[in-house]
Amino acid sequence: QKEVEQDPGPLSVPEGAIVSLNCTYSNSAFQYFMWYRQYSRKGPELLMYTYSSGNKEDGRFTAQVDKSSKYISLFIRDSQPSDSATYLCATTPYSSASKIIFGSGTRLSIRP
Amino acid sequence: EAGVTQFPSHSVIEKGQTVTLRCDPISGHDNLYWYRRVMGKEIKFLLHFVKESKQDESGMPNNRFLAERTGGTYSTLKVQPAELEDSGVYFCASSQGQYQETQYFGPGTRLLVL
């Protein structure tokens, strides 16, 4: 069983739509959750992080963690063509907080 | 401020050859990480340096891989001899601190072993 499961997509939505990206994780000891964005031919770039259950908002982006169900979500409001990228959920194990465990990534395309 | 840089951007080699990848972290970042993504799989951790010391090398796949960070600045990752399954994208990242500090990734080196 993978430690972080993520639907690879691809996901294509029209500009302005609300996007929902989701992951599940297997280990209840995971404490720190992240979303990375990766444009084509670039490295992953940290978008948001959160420590606890609940929501964290940053502009058009909202990260949500539900530790009871081991579920991580990223919502993008008013999606723009520039949001087209691969989105990777990630976490770090308590025993080695420097080592990032990534999901496989969801490829998102926003149609103008 | 310059980001993490990696060289080369692409490398095509034959099975059995040696390849050396280089990573230059962000200036002042003591922590340097190597990750890789093989075809169809997720990005996986290889190892973590703090300055010139290996803090965690639990992700290194086998002894054909050798990572060094002499002087605590840039790092090299050598694959010798390369096998077909080593093909993928090798990412380097760096951070100031260790625990739950933001890791800044380079653009990656695309390695193809034929």
Side-chain angles (χ1 to χ4, degrees):
Chain A
Q1 182 188 11
K2 287 184 181 178
E3 294 181 282
V4 179
E5 295 271 6
Q6 184 173 9
D7 185 339
L11 182 62
S12 179
V13 302
E15 184 176 354
I18 296 174
V19 176
S20 172
L21 303 170
N22 306 293
C23 293
T24 58
Y25 62 94
S26 60
N27 191 334
S28 57
F30 291 157
Q31 301 286 324
Y32 181 68
F33 303 94
M34 298 159 280
W35 283 96
Y36 277 81
R37 179 174 59 195
Q38 185 178 15
Y39 291 113
S40 181
R41 302 295 184 182
K42 302 286 187 183
E45 172 192 23
L46 182 65
L47 192 59
M48 295 184 71
Y49 66 87
T50 181
Y51 287 94
S52 56
S53 280
N55 294 349
K56 182 176 182 179
E57 193 172 317
D58 184 1
R60 297 184 294 109
F61 298 87
T62 300
Q64 187 175 82
V65 176
D66 182 345
K67 288 190 174 181
S68 63
S69 59
K70 301 192 191 72
Y71 204 77
I72 313 165
S73 299
L74 178 71
F75 299 97
I76 307 174
R77 291 185 302 280
D78 187 25
S79 55
Q80 304 294 311
S82 58
D83 296 329
S84 299
T86 296
Y87 289 81
L88 304 134
C89 59
T91 184
T92 57
Y94 185 76
S95 60
S96 176
S98 302
K99 168 183 169 180
I100 299 175
I101 299 171
F102 285 96
S104 54
T106 299
R107 186 178 297 179
L108 173 67
S109 176
I110 309 297
R111 306 188 302 271
Chain B
E1 179 184 299
V4 176
T5 57
Q6 293 187 244
F7 183 82
S9 58
H10 295 79
S11 181
V12 181
I13 61 172
E14 292 192 351
K15 176 182 170 180
Q17 290 186 323
T18 297
V19 63
T20 300
L21 314 180
R22 173 171 169 145
C23 168
D24 286 78
I26 292 172
S27 178
H29 282 191
D30 288 339
N31 294 271
L32 186 148
Y33 313 81
W34 284 98
Y35 293 82
R36 76 170 179 177
R37 183 172 195 155
V38 297
M39 185 68 74
K41 302 281 189 178
E42 62 275 12
I43 298 172
K44 284 201 168 177
F45 169 86
L46 295 179
L47 87 161
H48 170 207
F49 283 101
V50 178
K51 297 185 180 178
E52 66 275 8
S53 299
K54 292 175 185 173
Q55 177 88 348
D56 181 354
E57 51 184 329
S58 61
M60 294 289 264
N62 52 61
N63 59 9
R64 295 186 294 103
F65 289 76
L66 175 64
E68 295 180 318
R69 193 183 181 196
T70 308
T73 54
Y74 71 91
S75 174
T76 58
L77 180 64
K78 181 190 289 188
V79 185
Q80 179 182 30
E83 298 289 345
L84 300 179
E85 64 264 25
D86 300 332
S87 296
V89 184
Y90 289 76
F91 293 103
C92 175
S94 71
S95 66
Q96 260 186 335
Q98 291 190 46
Y99 298 102
Q100 296 166 358
E101 289 273 334
T102 299
Q103 294 185 22
Y104 297 88
F105 282 77
T109 293
R110 281 149 188 80
L111 174 64
L112 179 60
V113 182
L114 301 175

